[in-house]
Every structure is written in C-alpha cells, then in structure tokens.
Amino acid sequence: MSSDATTTSPTRAQRLDRLPFTREHGRLVIGSGLGWALDAMDVGLISFVMAALAVQWSLTPTELSWIGSIGFVGMALGATLGGLLADRIGRRQVFALTLLLFGVATGAAALAWSVAALLAFRLLIGLGLGAELPVASTLVSEYAPARVRGRVVVALEAFWAVGWLLAALIGYLVVPRGNDGWRWALALGAVPAVYAVVVRRGLPESVRFLELRGRTDEAEAAVRRFESAAGVAPVPSAPPPPTAPSGPGALWAPGSRRRTAALWAVWFGINFAYYGAFIWLPTLLLASGFSLVRSFGYTLLITLAQLPGYAAAAVLVERWGRRPTLVVFLLGSAVGAGLFALADGDTAVLVTGMVLSFTNLGAWGAVYAVTPEVYPTALRATGAGAAAGFGRLASIAAPLCVPPLLDAGGNGLVFGTFAAAFAVAALASSALPEHRGQALEATESARTP
C-alpha cells in the first residue's frame, strides 16, 4: 500500500498546479510587477529626457540615438548574464540584485554633467533592467497554476504599461518645468533601490529551482506556504522528474534549436519595432511641429492604449492559446505601424498611434507568456535571458537606425520598416510550441511543436 501511495503521490510542481489562485499568488505578481513597473518607468523616462536634452544641450540626432541605445547595450548583457545567474543562484536573488543596481544607477544619472557621463550611467541602468525582466517572468510562471499561467504572466507584463504611464505622467508634468526637470524625473528612478530590500525579503524562491539544487526542505516550505493560503492540506510529494543539467549550448541542441531560432527571431523583431518607435515618439512628434508639452501629452494618450492591449492578451492566451494570440497581435502591430506611417493630421496620428500601442503591448504580453514555457527547468531562465538578450541587440540598433531612415524617407519609411519587423516576428511565432493549460514539466522532454 505504501508503494502505491508513493507512485500516485503528486510532485511539488503538481501540487502547485492544482491550487486555485490565492493571495500568495497575488502577492508574488504584485511584488514582481511593481519592480517591472519601475523598470518600465525608467525606460519610458529616457524618451522624454531625450526630447528635453535635444533642446537644452543642443544634441545632434546621433548623440540622441546613443542616449536611446546605450541602455539596451547593458540590457543585452544583463538579460544574458541574469538568466545564467538565475539558473545557478536563484530567481529571487537575481531579481533583487538587479533592482538595486538599476535603481541606484538611475538616481546617479540625474547628476549627469555631460553626454559621456549620462551614457555611462545608462549602461549600468541597462545591466540591471535587462536581467530583471526575464527572471521575474520565469519566477512567476513557475508558481502560477497551469490553467491560468499565461494569464498570470500577461498580468505581470501589464505592469509595464503602468510604469510607462508613470513615465508619461512624469514626462508631461515634471520634465517641461525647467532646465532641471529631466534631472528630477530621473531622480524618481532611485525608488527601486529601496524597493529591492522589500523584494528580497518577501518573495519566495522558485520551488523547481530549489528542487534542482537539492534544497527540498525549502521547496516543501514554499509549497506549503501557497497551500496554506488556499486552505489545502499538504500531502506527501513524489520526487520531481529528473532534469539533466543544462548550459547555454543546450539551447542549440537538436531538440531545441528550432524553437530557439524562432524565439530569438520573435524577440528581435518585437524589440526592434517597439523601441525604435516608442523611444523616438516624443522627439518625432516634436520634429513634426508639436510643442514639447503637446508631444508629451499625445505620447501619454497613446500610452494609455497599452492597458486594454494587455487585458485582451490576458484573456486570449488562455482562450486561443499563446501562439495564435502572439501571431494576431504581431500582425495587428504591423498594420498599426503601417497606418501610423500614413497618418496625416492630429487625429490620425493619435488614433493610429493608439492602435499601434494596443496591439504592440498585447504582443509583448503574449511573448512573455510563451517564453518560459519553451525550455525545461534547468534551462528556463538561461533560455529566456538569452532570447531577451538577443532581442536587446535590436533595441540597440533601432534607435540608431531612426535618423538615417528619417533622412532617407521620413516618418513613412521609419514606421514602414517597423511594420516589416513586426510581420517577420509574426511569421517566426508560428514555429513556437503551444503549452496552453499544460504543466511546465511538459517542456522537460524538449518536444518540438
């Protein structure tokens, strides 16, 4: 009888998957999401800072491009290194360290005395920011019940819109108030340094990571914490399924290379189009004849469309699945960018900008939902970080490409190029696996779709 009990006992991961969504899940999403929002606030602020410095420091388009791009150099390095570290020292540890790094660096950037100093601080900010995002989504995905995992990860990603809205509000209300407005705006980015202490103390470590490292007592305590919140009595656990140790080379092993190539292509395309468009948006509106305050106001309204985009994606990733939702939103983004390229007049600019914002951020929600499901536990954070890191190469290139594209063909060529990038990402999405409603352990076999 004891033998039968052993063979039918659930694993700890299965115990987590069977739970309803509890206050502990909510605490994890909010705790991770607030860090995510603060990250987005920092990325969003730089677009407003660029517009202000273009006037105050009389910067050239090339200098502005480097201010927009240098943070993404750090993000590319940070995403790759952060994923590797998260699979070795834990998700929670890396999450807290990255928040601390970019919070302190953002506060220091407010004191920048030259373009070179600002570039140096932006590089450090990018290191912290790049590592945080894939690690946070991995941690949340490993706790969320399988039946709502995609929705929960999209809800986490929706905090990005909250942060960008904060950036738009600060940009609209603070940056134009004087020559030091941009400094006060960046100083607000130091908040994550304080929040990192809260994160480190309050969030649980991944159960799957703890088991992989043989820390079963800690894993059991974490599971019981969530079971207690659900009012579920703990039960004996079966051993977790074996997972072979993996390194970065496993991303290109025969069972993984197709999905890795597809995932990297999606991340590259979505990063190129998103950051190329939104980092430059206030400056492009300013160059089109809008006043500084008005261009910031339009950017704020366009940003508001991100929230319903996330809400739609959160519903559809569980109803349609991750892959079809991602494809539809990326194609919608391509259409939105194409319409923005043709927009003529204030109303057309605002409406087409909101369409682009809605569809693009819905696509971001879907890509973050699918990414942790592509790889097994031992490779999950490494794979997510590597994909994000490769995508950040596009984030570096996109702001640098905008000035020559503007010279060659104006806003039409700029946003037509972004539309093409979205379309390529949509095509690559069709090669990703679909794990809607499945346990994360379904990825352990590294099946091809």
Side-chain angles (χ1 to χ4, degrees):
M1 183 170 181
S2 61
S3 174
D4 291 341
T6 300
T7 58
T8 58
S9 294
T11 64
R12 292 185 184 89
Q14 290 170 337
R15 287 162 61 187
L16 286 174
D17 275 336
R18 294 174 184 181
L19 294 177
F21 190 87
T22 69
R23 67 177 183 275
E24 287 294 335
H25 292 101
R27 187 174 301 163
L28 176 61
V29 172
I30 292 172
S32 301
L34 288 175
W36 203 295
L38 292 168
D39 288 2
M41 184 178 75
D42 174 84
V43 175
L45 279 175
I46 198 61
S47 65
F48 297 96
V49 171
M50 284 169 57
L53 291 181
V55 177
Q56 292 181 28
W57 288 5
S58 301
L59 299 183
T60 66
T62 299
E63 288 172 320
L64 288 172
S65 295
W66 275 110
I67 290 173
S69 291
I70 193 66
F72 299 117
V73 175
M75 289 174 75
L77 295 171
T80 304
L81 295 174
L84 288 169
L85 284 173
D87 277 335
R88 283 160 178 76
I89 67 173
R91 284 61 160 140
R92 183 179 65 175
Q93 296 270 31
V94 174
F95 186 33
L97 289 172
T98 56
L99 278 172
L100 182 63
L101 174 60
F102 98 82
V104 171
T106 301
L111 305 175
W113 54 91
S114 66
V115 172
L118 184 59
L119 290 175
F121 288 129
R122 293 300 304 169
L123 179 65
L124 291 175
I125 291 166
L127 281 171
L129 175 60
E132 189 272 328
L133 299 180
V135 173
S137 61
T138 297
L139 177 62
V140 170
S141 70
E142 290 181 330
Y143 269 102
R147 63 189 175 279
V148 294
R149 185 174 59 246
R151 187 169 300 167
V152 170
V153 175
V154 175
L156 170 69
E157 162 67 0
F159 279 86
W160 184 270
V162 174
W164 202 282
L165 281 171
L166 286 173
L169 284 170
I170 293 170
Y172 182 70
L173 297 174
V174 177
V175 174
R177 286 193 169 273
N179 288 341
D180 288 332
W182 65 272
R183 295 185 185 275
W184 286 109
L186 288 180
L188 293 173
V191 173
V194 178
Y195 177 68
V197 178
V198 179
V199 169
R200 179 64 182 85
R201 293 171 60 88
L203 295 185
E205 181 55 90
S206 163
V207 169
R208 290 169 172 87
F209 169 80
L210 292 171
E211 288 185 328
L212 198 63
R213 291 291 177 262
R215 295 156 60 180
T216 55
D217 290 344
E218 294 175 67
E220 181 63 25
V223 173
R224 292 193 180 199
R225 171 177 166 179
F226 279 75
E227 287 176 332
S228 176
V232 173
V235 296
S237 283
T243 302
S246 300
L251 297 175
W252 297 99
S256 300
R257 62 171 63 121
R258 181 187 178 201
R259 63 184 62 193
T260 295
L263 190 64
W264 284 27
V266 172
W267 273 88
F268 191 91
I270 197 172
N271 271 275
F272 184 87
Y274 174 76
Y275 286 108
F278 284 92
I279 288 292
W280 272 92
L281 185 59
T283 304
L284 291 176
L285 291 175
L286 189 66
S288 298
F290 293 88
S291 69
L292 186 67
V293 173
R294 195 176 182 200
S295 69
F296 285 4
Y298 269 48
T299 302
L300 174 59
L301 292 173
I302 289 171
T303 302
L304 282 170
Q306 295 181 8
L307 288 171
Y310 281 125
V315 173
L316 295 175
V317 290
E318 301 296 358
R319 184 168 297 174
W320 291 354
R322 285 75 157 128
R323 184 169 54 198
T325 300
L326 181 57
V327 170
V328 167
F329 274 97
L330 284 171
L331 289 175
S333 299
V335 172
L339 291 174
F340 192 86
L342 301 173
D344 184 18
D346 293 4
T347 301
V349 166
L350 186 59
V351 171
T352 57
M354 294 178 77
V355 170
L356 174 59
S357 186
F358 174 92
T359 52
N360 191 188
L361 276 297
W364 271 113
V367 80
Y368 270 105
V370 74
T371 297
E373 299 178 348
V374 172
Y375 301 107
T377 297
L379 198 59
R380 186 165 296 124
T382 297
F390 185 74
R392 298 308 176 193
L393 297 179
S395 305
I396 299 165
L400 295 172
C401 289
V402 169
L405 287 173
L406 277 173
D407 291 341
N411 284 350
L413 180 58
V414 170
F415 283 90
T417 301
F418 296 153
F422 281 129
V424 171
L427 180 64
S429 298
S430 62
L432 293 176
E434 177 61 60
H435 290 297
R436 179 183 58 158
Q438 299 178 21
L440 282 176
E441 282 61 37
T443 67
E444 301 294 337
S445 60
R447 293 175 297 153
T448 53

